[in-house]
Amino acid sequence: MAGKSNKGRNRKGTHGATTSSSQQVVSSDAPAKGNKTTLDSANIEANGVQPVSETTDAQLEVKEVETENSVNEPKQGDINLYPVSVKTQSGEKLELQLNPGDSVMDVRQFLLDAPETCFFTCYDLLLQTKDGSTHHLEDYNEISEVADITTGDCTLEMVAALYDDRSIRAHVHRTRDLLSLSTLHASLSTSLALQYDLSQSKASNSGDTVKTDVPELDGLGFMEDVSGSLGKLLSSSTREIKCVESIVFSTFNPPPSYRRLVGDLIYLDVVTVEGNKYCITGTTKMFYVNSSTGNVLDPRPSKATSESTTLIGLLQKISPKFKKAFREILERKASAHPFENVQSLLPPNSWLGLYPVPDHKRDAARAEDALTLSYGSELIGMQRDWNEELQSCREFPHTNLQERILRDRALYKVASDFVDAAVSGAVGVISRCIPPINPTDPECFHMYVHNNIFFSFAVDADLEHLSRKHQSVTNLNIEGIGSSTDSSEKVSNDVVQGDGGISKGESMGKPNDVVELTQVPAETQLAESEQATYASANNDLKGTKAYQEADVPGLYNLAMAIIDYRGHRVVAQSVLPGILQGDKSDSLLYGSVDYGKKICWNEDFHSKVLEAAKRLHLKEHTVLDGSGNVFKLAAPVECKGIVGSDDRHYLLDLMRATPRDANYSGPGSRFCILRPELITAFFQAEAAGKSVSKPEGNTDGASDSIKVAGAEEPDTTKVEKIEAAQECASTPIESSESEKIEFNPNVLTEFKLAGSQEEIAADEENVRRVSSYLANVVLPKFIQDLCTLEASPMDGQTFTEALHAHGINIRYIGKVAHGTKHLPHLWDLCSNEIVVRSAKHIIKDLLRDIEDHDLGPAIAHFLNCFFGSCQNVGGKVAANSMQSRTQKKYLQDHASLGKSSKGQARWKSKASARKPHSSYVSISSETIWSDLEEFAKLKYQFELPEDARLRVKKVSVLRNLCQKVGISIAARKYDFNAATPFQTSDILNLQPVVKHSVPVCSEAKNLVEMGKAQLSEGLLSEAFTLFSEAFSILQQVTGPMHREVANCCRYLAMVLYHAGDMAGAIMQQHKELIINERCLGLDHPDTAHSYGNMALFYHGLNQTELALRHMSRALLLLSLSSGPDHPDVAATFINVAMMYQDIGKMDTALRYLQEALKKNERLLGEEHIQTAVCYHALAIAFNCMGAFKLSHQHEKKTYDILVKQLGEEDSRTKDSQNWMKTFKMRELQMNVQKQKGQALNAASTQKAIDILKANPDLIQAFQAVAAAGGSSPSVNNSLNAAVLGETIPRGRGFDERAARAAAEIRKKAAAKGLSIRPQGLPAQALPPLTQLLNIINSGITPDANGSRAADVKKEANSEPSSAPAAADAKVGISSSSSSEQGQPPAGLGKGLTSLDSKKKKTKAENKS
């Protein structure tokens, strides 16, 4: 929505908050070529918190970055805003900034969010133009279609419209929403900044010049007690402001017929805070208080004054307390960041709930909503035709940018609404609230239509073998078509099944025909069945996404979502037009419904599918049907092309939009297909001339089935192996320029291919090449990236995303684990993810069989078995029912017949007699962990270590498992050493987990990629323009609550940071943080990095106290997602240490640096570049304290590691060498001073001892330094080229590529004359440690009296022999050769250089 309200600027708000008219504009010091780029920070103070006057709307901020594009840049979205004044219903004036392309709906949205007009819901808009003509605006018009607002002097008037039944109810709902603060999602960062502002203003008012003491973080404490930090994640819910006791629909409703005729629509009972009861009549024109008392309606108005066109207007008249409280609410919402008021379309599930659980209070409004919106009682008129909406949005014109934005926005909105509706429908289906459309079929094959969405279960395929074996149902035509498919064949001749297209059935082991089925051992099929159904549904979703992105005109897909809830997987799809209206047997035009026995083909359809195939790199090829006829297809055989009754061409069942994975063959691997990301990467590699072929000697890629080449080799050979793979990749194929490689999706499958043997062999060869590219190039490269911290996933979710982004399927996770054995944090990450994924399947299996009343106890019991040590509660009664069941499933050691009882039990037939006890009580810790081990071996070829139960990171695994299954638990401290850590009361909720295909905006994606490229080149102003443009487009397409918008904000913050504009950077970073909290979750690693970046930016503004509070939060979040043992935690520790160092708290800084060093040495090895960063930081710290000898020693270690890893020629190695020289020189100067013969002052020794007594933690700090000082390096060949040249050590949270280029950016920016952030920081008073070192360093010769100080000094020095010369002299003695000392070496991290410049300041002061 490209509008921006100007109102906060130039008038008073009704709620009495005066507007400050100062408009602070932050310029990015980055004048773009021919492009004036200013940042309108709209009264946002440096810390990103909006003053009360700022409007409460997110969309108002849409044009946060106004870019006036020059004529020569037409491709940027040229959105110009024009002022239009609005006359409200209450007679006030406010001003909007509108763009002619805005729709009237956008204007209504702006007015809905403005505090002055938020409670008007029923009005018409009249537009009066300059020439005096008046236009009535229809909701779906664009303003430009009605009148030209570019001429200026246009006014909008809100004219009260008449209420009807629907709009008056909507008005009451809106009023209730406005009176509640539950829609406000305040971020901790906002409240921290507000508190800080408050304390600062108090200090300045009282004229208090004393610097507030910065509190010490308990960050190190978080890391020791991770489970204790669970309770700290959620802030207690915001205090509600009470405006009114209750507003409920009166029991006088509905109005009697004689009152309807005079306009009564609704009666409300209101109890005000003062305790007065009123009965209010809502008519078509207004609300008024009637004279009813008791049980008889008296419709006469009670007082002439008490009437108003809005409910809030009326309440303000009858209740003074309401008026005051409502103003407070508006002020509270206005003081929040606008993004905190916006609703997120698909918010993430929270795995933690408040503890203690808040009281459940009476709420009539909530009860009414729950009752009126139950299943089946929705008004028919409310049902939306999802398919028609989606397909007509897809047909929108998209020739220019503005049209594409409108189309993307419509698609995004419809798809999000569809997912929302699908989730509530699926919950209804699984809870059996919605009746099936084929009730006579077996329960597992039931299909459902609700709210115009088609639901069916992703069923275990083994169920239908059973039904075939046991009931000899041969006429159902089940051959390989599952669940919905086979029943649908009865419902509507081969077609419904297309609609419910539902992959489920495809889940068969070898579905071509019954004979083949019997050739595979039945047990094997059973074990793979559930995996296959889940996989086929996933693949169908991926295929649907791929075809949606190909976006071929005239070829349509259904909207689709997969919902996992209570152990069931439901597939939801929009209803294919005409499918439920009886027989349309000729509607299948393309593909096959019976696995290739009969194939349909149509010229027109084929041409569209062929067009899509070209975009998806699929090959046009020939196949044979059951009778030997040859067909030319450009899609997988089992896809179905259907013509709907709307005459659109639909393509369904796209399980295999990418080719088979040749590294996996044999039973159960039918749905092992390659990821689309891999195909893209492969073609990029081809284009780059690195055409990759199979390594020689491996004649059959599939021969070693699941064993991936070389993944088990020790790490030392990894790099050589990658190179070898790239060398043995043949020289670029000559023909690759002329004829592009395309993949035949039907090779290596059971379908019969036509065409010559050579052609089939060539097709297979192509698929094998891309599979071997995955195993021999992509996988080792990914493992190498992990080892060098190039990719640094923190938890299961980010790890999965990293794998997928590289085109690696999750089934390769075992290989990744083997490749990262030598790095403990990566090994933990992989093995924990495997454990969680295995546990997920076991708990789903358990939940499917559980009755509603046992859900809580069953989940608690499972978690106790998983994390505690729990015997089965049922004793011997059910001794091995569960055990044998899971073993049948995963271990395949039972005959298939034993499965039937289980399979049918899962579909809880209502009539079946219930067992006297529940199945869950029979499981114990032993059965669960043995099942986990078997499953991990079967699915991921991974042997869990013997001590896996002890080694899992309890909190991270609990978090990961709860997120994957949808469990919500109480946020309290759990004792994981207890036998049963969980109580039933700890299980708060079970939520559906969704996968969906909501489209993304490709336009903005491309702009962001271009921006990243410009940023890495150091072209700040160009990058700024591109990111701002992407931000603006995304705001219009998705609204602010979207991951991609957060991405843009992060890059904008980075650009502004490099351009030296801290306040602007903080503003953008604050937006990113709020979006991440809302869209990804409070404890997502990206949210943690947002807090870390906020802290660094605040630190840049010298607001160190605020910075440390953000760091504290970042550490808390990291401890939850990754646990304490992760390199990112060490990097954060270094940043915290820098902050303490800058405010002079050297003892605390040393503790953090020490901790970081220990972590890096343990996790990455003593020769990793990250370890060198720690040594360098310690050297700088000692330098600040004047301990130059220690500085030199630590810098020497840095230098040794860098020489080993990067060579002597690398710029960073040279920088380190320069630092060593600087420290050595300072040490020599100290010695010169010392030789001048300063006498030892006994008093100063005594003073030193007193300081030590007062600060015992100093002694620990010294001891820790000593312990680390003597560590011996060991060999580790990991490389990392991305560390020491950055602005911040490891630039956490920044995009890796951009981070690596940070040093170049600064150089290039300086060359272009861009302002670079000033380095100097104010000198602080000396802390006790520095005083101590000053005393110790005064050239002491120890005597009996000073022996304690000397001992400390020895420890500090870690070389007893040189103790007396510890670090030779006062901090303040200046260098004799200023030329050598003039500029500390650049490039070792700006945080570090800034310390050094601070050091020089101190010297200069002392000198003078």
Side-chain angles (χ1 to χ4, degrees):
M1 278 142 239
K4 173 162 184 177
S5 156
N6 222 356
K7 47 189 179 315
R9 282 179 221 173
N10 46 16
R11 34 142 256 314
K12 266 188 192 178
T14 43
H15 46 54
T18 359
T19 320
S20 71
S21 55
S22 63
Q23 182 70 6
Q24 174 194 357
V25 175
V26 183
S27 161
S28 76
D29 294 333
K33 293 169 196 158
N35 205 46
K36 197 176 100 220
T37 313
T38 57
L39 252 172
D40 168 7
S41 78
N43 273 338
I44 292 179
E45 292 148 10
N47 53 20
V49 177
Q50 309 247 7
V52 172
S53 60
E54 185 62 18
T55 84
T56 60
D57 170 37
Q59 274 106 3
L60 307 185
E61 273 220 330
V62 170
K63 285 299 296 170
E64 193 58 61
V65 177
E66 289 170 30
T67 314
E68 288 144 43
N69 293 2
S70 59
V71 191
N72 58 6
E73 279 202 80
K75 75 181 169 63
Q76 307 291 355
D78 17 19
I79 294 171
N80 298 310
L81 299 182
Y82 300 94
V84 175
S85 64
V86 178
K87 186 180 170 198
T88 69
Q89 265 175 271
S90 51
E92 286 181 72
K93 281 272 173 74
L94 60 107
E95 185 162 287
L96 289 183
Q97 296 279 353
L98 297 179
N99 164 45
D102 283 336
S103 72
V104 177
M105 291 292 268
D106 294 340
V107 179
R108 283 186 179 275
Q109 186 63 48
F110 299 149
L111 294 171
L112 203 55
D113 289 306
E116 299 78 2
T117 52
C118 59
F119 45 88
F120 296 115
T121 61
C122 190
Y123 55 85
D124 291 324
L125 281 172
L126 300 180
L127 178 67
Q128 284 150 356
T129 52
K130 202 173 183 178
D131 55 13
S133 59
T134 302
H135 305 271
H136 184 267
L137 298 182
E138 294 292 338
D139 280 357
Y140 293 97
N141 283 352
E142 276 186 30
I143 296 173
S144 54
E145 295 170 14
V146 183
D148 181 13
I149 59 168
T150 57
T151 56
D153 288 344
C154 292
T155 54
L156 273 174
E157 189 178 353
M158 297 167 70
V159 182
L162 295 178
Y163 289 107
D164 56 31
D165 272 327
R166 185 171 173 144
S167 59
I168 202 160
R169 280 163 196 259
H171 182 82
V172 175
H173 270 280
R174 170 70 181 163
T175 303
R176 283 173 176 166
D177 285 348
L178 283 173
L179 300 185
S180 161
L181 282 174
S182 59
T183 54
L184 181 67
H185 303 266
S187 164
L188 177 73
S189 175
T190 315
S191 45
L192 285 176
L194 283 167
Q195 284 166 13
Y196 180 80
D197 272 9
L198 210 60
S199 62
Q200 292 301 82
S201 59
K202 270 185 197 159
S204 59
N205 291 346
S206 58
D208 200 359
T209 51
V210 183
K211 171 83 183 73
T212 49
D213 195 32
V214 177
E216 198 160 305
L217 282 190
D218 48 352
L220 293 165
F222 282 149
M223 293 300 169
E224 286 146 19
D225 175 23
V226 177
S227 67
S229 56
L230 284 179
K232 298 178 187 154
L233 176 70
L234 303 175
S235 50
S236 55
S237 51
T238 46
R239 186 181 64 81
E240 283 285 343
I241 298 172
K242 202 153 207 187
C243 297
V244 64
E245 283 295 334
S246 69
I247 301 177
V248 296
F249 288 108
S250 167
T251 45
F252 286 129
N253 285 313
S257 52
Y258 59 89
R259 292 302 304 169
R260 289 288 308 209
L261 299 177
V262 291
D264 287 9
L265 295 173
I266 199 170
Y267 300 120
L268 301 170
D269 286 332
V270 172
V271 183
T272 62
V273 183
E274 291 89 346
N276 301 328
K277 296 182 177 174
Y278 296 98
C279 183
I280 293 178
T281 302
T283 70
T284 52
K285 290 185 178 173
M286 64 185 172
F287 292 87
Y288 66 85
V289 178
N290 63 36
S291 308
S292 307
T293 49
N295 292 334
V296 180
L297 175 71
D298 181 352
R300 292 169 305 164
S302 68
K303 289 183 193 154
T305 52
S306 302
E307 60 179 47
S308 168
T309 53
T310 63
L311 186 52
I312 282 181
L314 178 61
L315 292 170
Q316 282 177 328
K317 287 181 183 174
I318 61 178
S319 165
K321 285 188 178 173
F322 175 90
K323 193 168 187 175
K324 181 166 174 280
F326 184 58
R327 183 186 304 147
E328 256 185 75
I329 282 188
L330 286 181
E331 285 177 12
R332 171 84 67 89
K333 287 187 175 178
S335 69
H337 190 283
F339 283 10
E340 292 172 347
N341 282 310
V342 188
Q343 294 310 299
S344 168
L345 274 177
L346 301 166
N349 288 342
S350 169
W351 68 283
L352 286 176
L354 287 172
Y355 180 83
V357 179
D359 300 327
H360 190 64
K361 300 202 173 92
R362 288 176 185 277
D363 182 344
R366 184 187 62 223
E368 269 164 19
D369 288 351
L371 291 170
T372 50
L373 294 176
S374 63
Y375 302 104
S377 62
E378 282 95 338
L379 303 169
I380 293 299
M382 284 170 64
Q383 294 209 347
R384 292 169 62 175
D385 186 342
W386 299 106
N387 191 66
E388 185 51 45
E389 284 188 45
L390 188 75
Q391 312 311 349
S392 48
C393 288
R394 213 163 268 165
E395 289 164 351
F396 278 9
H398 46 279
T399 48
N400 60 31
L401 179 65
Q402 198 55 44
E403 284 180 348
R404 282 196 295 277
I405 289 176
L406 276 173
R407 175 179 188 251
D408 284 350
R409 177 161 133 205
L411 281 170
Y412 178 77
K413 182 80 178 86
V414 173
S416 302
D417 289 354
F418 169 80
V419 172
D420 212 35
V423 171
S424 64
V427 170
V429 164
I430 292 167
S431 314
R432 298 196 292 280
C433 300
I434 294 170
I437 55 175
N438 52 338
T440 52
D441 289 354
E443 194 171 347
C444 49
F445 299 139
H446 281 175
M447 292 174 291
Y448 305 80
V449 173
H450 172 73
N451 195 359
N452 274 325
I453 301 175
F454 184 96
F455 297 96
S456 58
F457 286 98
V459 178
D460 283 4
D462 58 314
L463 289 185
E464 103 230 6
H465 295 312
L466 294 170
S467 61
R468 181 181 314 144
K469 285 183 191 125
H470 295 303
Q471 301 151 22
S472 325
V473 184
T474 45
N475 57 348
L476 269 184
N477 189 1
I478 306 191
E479 273 84 311
I481 311 242
S483 79
S484 59
T485 318
D486 76 55
S487 43
S488 58
E489 300 200 349
K490 298 187 297 185
V491 179
S492 63
N493 289 12
D494 297 348
V495 180
V496 167
Q497 134 277 326
D499 165 41
I502 317 252
S503 38
K504 350 298 81 57
E506 322 254 349
S507 44
M508 302 285 189
K510 283 273 187 187
N512 211 4
D513 60 332
V514 187
V515 185
E516 266 201 56
L517 280 168
T518 53
Q519 290 162 4
V520 179
E523 308 88 273
T524 323
Q525 289 171 355
L526 294 180
E528 287 146 2
S529 61
E530 180 191 357
Q531 290 310 303
T533 55
Y534 275 36
S536 57
N538 274 342
N539 291 349
D540 195 5
L541 185 65
K542 271 184 267 181
T544 304
K545 270 187 190 166
Y547 275 88
Q548 274 173 2
E549 281 163 23
D551 204 13
V552 173
L555 192 61
Y556 297 89
N557 303 102
L558 300 175
M560 180 177 179
I562 296 174
I563 297 98
D564 289 318
Y565 180 60
R566 285 183 58 172
H568 297 282
R569 170 162 282 193
V570 166
V571 179
Q573 291 177 309
S574 55
V575 176
L576 199 148
I579 205 80
L580 300 171
Q581 276 73 52
D583 189 331
K584 274 202 76 178
S585 44
D586 56 341
S587 60
L588 180 74
L589 294 187
Y590 197 78
S592 166
V593 288
D594 51 10
Y595 278 83
K597 288 190 174 170
K598 174 170 178 282
I599 295 178
C600 301
W601 194 85
N602 168 289
E603 178 62 50
D604 187 24
F605 217 118
H606 181 69
S607 63
K608 289 173 185 166
V609 175
L610 187 58
E611 180 54 38
K614 284 180 187 151
R615 298 179 194 187
L616 297 174
H617 307 295
L618 294 180
K619 180 182 172 181
E620 185 181 28
H621 57 281
T622 49
V623 291
L624 298 169
D625 69 3
S627 322
N629 305 319
V630 176
F631 291 94
K632 196 173 241 187
L633 293 180
V637 173
E638 76 271 26
C639 79
K640 295 158 191 66
I642 294 177
V643 172
S645 57
D646 55 357
D647 284 333
R648 291 191 180 104
H649 286 174
Y650 291 91
L651 196 60
L652 315 172
D653 284 7
L654 303 163
M655 262 81 63
R656 290 186 299 107
T658 50
R660 269 288 297 273
D661 182 349
N663 299 322
Y664 282 75
S665 65
S669 58
R670 204 172 155 255
F671 287 100
C672 293
I673 60 170
L674 300 169
R675 291 194 64 85
E677 296 91 340
L678 177 77
I679 304 295
T680 313
F682 178 75
F683 279 103
Q684 282 166 355
E686 288 285 331
K690 276 197 211 149
S691 158
V692 182
S693 75
K694 283 191 331 226
E696 298 127 30
N698 180 2
T699 48
D700 176 7
S703 64
D704 55 1
S705 172
I706 297 181
K707 185 113 163 58
V708 173
E712 325 274 325
E713 289 173 30
D715 184 63
T716 36
T717 62
K718 192 121 297 160
V719 184
E720 294 91 302
K721 200 178 82 199
I722 295 173
E723 275 140 24
Q726 284 168 348
E727 281 158 24
C728 78
S730 60
T731 50
I733 300 180
E734 295 70 29
S735 62
S736 69
E737 270 65 65
S738 53
E739 71 169 285
K740 234 170 110 188
I741 298 180
E742 289 182 327
F743 298 109
N744 179 342
N746 294 315
V747 295
L748 304 178
T749 63
E750 63 280 8
F751 299 117
K752 305 186 182 77
L753 297 174
S756 65
Q757 280 308 309
E758 294 76 46
E759 190 187 355
I760 295 175
D763 286 350
E764 287 187 6
E765 178 56 27
N766 280 340
V767 172
R768 293 218 163 95
R769 274 179 61 201
V770 73
S771 302
S772 102
Y773 173 70
L774 169 60
N776 301 327
V777 178
V778 176
L779 200 61
K781 171 77 174 74
F782 178 67
I783 291 172
Q784 187 189 343
D785 284 353
L786 288 176
C787 297
T788 59
L789 301 186
E790 201 82 343
S792 181
M794 304 285 300
D795 64 347
Q797 188 184 346
T798 45
F799 182 52
T800 306
E801 283 167 6
L803 279 167
H804 287 170
H806 283 77
I808 302 169
N809 307 74
I810 286 292
R811 59 178 168 272
Y812 285 95
I813 191 171
K815 311 285 178 286
V816 178
H818 292 304
T820 52
K821 261 189 187 144
H822 60 293
L823 293 179
H825 73 282
L826 292 172
W827 166 258
D828 281 348
L829 188 67
C830 297
S831 55
N832 286 349
E833 182 67 4
I834 289 173
V835 166
V836 168
R837 283 175 176 274
S838 308
K840 176 182 78 172
H841 289 286
I842 296 175
I843 192 172
K844 280 183 169 176
D845 205 45
L846 175 73
L847 288 175
R848 264 197 294 272
D849 297 341
I850 293 294
E851 291 298 332
D852 297 14
H853 53 264
D854 281 333
L855 279 169
I859 295 171
H861 179 66
F862 177 88
L863 292 176
N864 284 331
C865 294
F866 188 46
F867 291 105
S869 54
C870 206
Q871 298 314 310
N872 48 17
V873 247
K876 303 263 161 55
V877 196
N880 52 11
S881 71
M882 171 72 184
Q883 188 175 0
S884 63
R885 202 181 79 229
T886 42
Q887 281 174 344
K888 278 172 207 157
K889 176 143 190 122
Y890 303 112
L891 321 189
Q892 315 155 6
D893 59 353
H894 282 271
S896 55
L897 293 182
K899 190 80 173 167
S900 66
S901 55
K902 175 201 169 186
Q904 304 302 351
R906 167 168 322 164
W907 302 93
K908 297 169 276 204
S909 120
K910 279 153 250 172
S912 74
R914 284 269 133 275
K915 293 193 203 111
H917 64 271
S918 303
S919 58
Y920 75 87
V921 293
S922 59
I923 62 174
S924 67
S925 298
E926 279 63 43
T927 55
I928 280 190
W929 279 93
S930 66
D931 285 349
L932 281 179
E933 282 166 24
E934 292 294 343
F935 192 92
K937 200 183 295 176
L938 198 74
K939 181 92 196 293
Y940 303 110
Q941 295 82 56
F942 182 78
E943 293 273 355
L944 282 178
E946 293 293 310
D947 57 348
R949 268 175 80 173
L950 308 172
R951 283 180 58 174
V952 293
K953 291 183 178 172
K954 299 279 173 37
V955 174
S956 307
V957 165
L958 174 65
R959 170 179 176 271
N960 196 345
L961 182 66
C962 286
Q963 286 174 333
K964 285 190 166 60
V965 184
I967 299 169
S968 192
I969 59 170
R972 67 173 180 88
K973 179 172 180 172
Y974 293 97
D975 176 11
F976 288 108
N977 298 320
T980 55
F982 298 88
Q983 312 299 322
T984 301
S985 58
D986 291 327
I987 312 300
L988 301 182
N989 200 356
L990 184 58
Q991 300 156 296
V993 178
V994 198
K995 294 183 174 184
H996 53 69
S997 61
V998 174
V1000 288
C1001 174
S1002 50
E1003 200 86 30
K1005 231 176 174 175
N1006 300 339
L1007 285 168
V1008 170
E1009 285 307 317
M1010 284 155 62
K1012 276 154 72 171
Q1014 301 284 18
L1015 182 59
S1016 60
E1017 293 287 302
L1019 306 169
L1020 294 186
S1021 54
E1022 290 83 343
F1024 183 83
T1025 311
L1026 289 164
F1027 291 138
S1028 307
E1029 176 64 16
F1031 176 81
S1032 158
I1033 291 176
L1034 279 167
Q1035 276 271 37
Q1036 295 174 71
V1037 172
T1038 64
M1041 283 301 130
H1042 196 279
R1043 259 189 112 149
E1044 296 297 323
V1045 181
N1047 249 343
C1048 287
C1049 293
R1050 183 169 92 237
Y1051 288 123
L1052 281 167
M1054 209 193 304
V1055 172
L1056 293 170
Y1057 174 79
H1058 288 309
D1061 176 2
M1062 282 298 142
I1066 283 175
M1067 204 180 84
Q1068 295 294 350
Q1069 187 59 49
H1070 188 211
K1071 286 188 209 162
E1072 191 227 2
L1073 189 151
I1074 293 171
I1075 300 170
N1076 281 343
E1077 283 193 334
R1078 301 278 307 285
C1079 294
L1080 301 177
L1082 289 174
D1083 57 349
H1084 190 280
D1086 286 7
T1087 312
H1089 290 153
S1090 298
Y1091 272 101
N1093 290 353
M1094 273 303 262
L1096 292 164
F1097 297 161
Y1098 276 131
H1099 183 60
L1101 278 177
N1102 288 338
Q1103 298 179 359
T1104 305
E1105 182 185 347
L1106 198 49
L1108 285 168
R1109 289 187 191 284
H1110 279 77
M1111 273 303 188
S1112 168
R1113 178 72 172 178
L1115 285 170
L1116 164 69
L1117 300 182
L1118 291 177
S1119 72
L1120 286 177
S1121 56
S1122 68
D1125 296 330
H1126 196 282
D1128 281 23
V1129 175
T1132 311
F1133 277 173
I1134 294 178
N1135 289 338
V1136 172
M1138 295 298 142
M1139 291 175 188
Y1140 276 121
Q1141 200 166 309
D1142 284 358
I1143 55 173
K1145 289 203 167 189
M1146 297 305 301
D1147 46 344
T1148 316
L1150 272 182
R1151 284 219 321 270
Y1152 274 95
L1153 287 174
Q1154 217 34 64
E1155 193 68 23
L1157 181 64
K1158 272 193 278 190
K1159 275 193 197 308
N1160 278 339
E1161 286 188 333
R1162 185 173 74 248
L1163 297 174
L1164 303 170
E1166 292 172 358
E1167 307 235 321
H1168 197 281
I1169 290 205
Q1170 275 306 104
T1171 314
V1173 171
C1174 291
Y1175 277 123
H1176 175 70
L1178 278 163
I1180 297 290
F1182 287 124
N1183 175 52
C1184 287
M1185 292 154 41
F1188 299 124
K1189 181 141 195 152
L1190 285 173
S1191 291
H1192 185 265
Q1193 286 170 6
H1194 282 79
E1195 194 55 53
K1196 176 80 173 75
K1197 289 195 169 138
T1198 307
Y1199 177 72
D1200 293 343
I1201 296 174
L1202 292 181
V1203 167
K1204 194 157 200 168
Q1205 300 291 8
L1206 304 171
E1208 297 196 9
E1209 292 313 303
D1210 192 281
S1211 60
R1212 286 161 292 180
T1213 316
K1214 288 178 176 164
D1215 286 337
S1216 178
Q1217 200 172 9
N1218 293 343
W1219 278 107
M1220 274 163 62
K1221 286 178 187 159
T1222 309
F1223 295 146
K1224 192 72 188 161
M1225 206 175 57
R1226 291 181 190 175
E1227 191 187 340
L1228 292 172
Q1229 287 167 255
M1230 295 304 163
N1231 289 335
V1232 171
Q1233 293 283 7
K1234 194 167 57 173
Q1235 283 154 13
K1236 289 181 181 171
Q1238 296 177 341
L1240 171 67
N1241 182 342
S1244 68
T1245 308
Q1246 191 54 45
K1247 200 169 167 194
I1249 291 168
D1250 293 343
I1251 290 178
L1252 280 174
K1253 279 182 186 161
N1255 297 275
D1257 47 348
L1258 291 182
I1259 300 175
Q1260 294 164 11
F1262 274 139
Q1263 286 166 339
V1265 172
S1271 52
S1272 63
S1274 71
V1275 179
N1276 178 325
N1277 70 341
S1278 309
L1279 303 175
N1280 181 355
V1283 174
L1284 290 161
E1286 287 170 15
T1287 40
I1288 316 148
R1290 279 226 52 227
R1292 285 313 314 147
F1294 286 173
D1295 178 79
E1296 305 296 348
R1297 194 182 343 162
R1300 283 201 296 283
E1304 282 70 36
I1305 292 177
R1306 298 193 62 77
K1307 286 173 196 156
K1308 289 177 185 169
K1312 289 187 167 209
L1314 283 168
S1315 81
I1316 299 235
R1317 172 189 166 195
Q1319 309 252 328
L1321 284 160
Q1324 305 277 349
L1326 299 177
L1329 184 60
T1330 324
Q1331 299 169 24
L1332 174 66
L1333 280 165
N1334 289 350
I1335 297 162
I1336 295 179
N1337 288 343
S1338 322
I1340 316 174
T1341 48
D1343 63 354
N1345 218 1
S1347 59
R1348 264 176 76 189
D1351 287 346
V1352 173
K1353 198 174 52 184
K1354 276 191 186 115
E1355 288 171 310
N1357 220 10
S1358 83
E1359 290 174 21
S1361 58
S1362 60
D1368 317 290
K1370 277 201 161 67
V1371 175
I1373 296 170
S1374 71
S1375 143
S1376 55
S1377 119
S1378 57
S1379 63
E1380 265 188 73
Q1381 200 172 328
Q1383 182 62 39
L1388 271 165
K1390 187 163 51 63
L1392 311 181
T1393 4
S1394 69
L1395 298 171
D1396 212 61
S1397 60
K1398 180 175 105 188
K1399 182 86 191 52
K1400 281 185 292 187
K1401 256 194 201 159
T1402 325
K1403 290 194 177 126
E1405 284 159 15
N1406 289 356
K1407 215 168 166 184
S1408 60

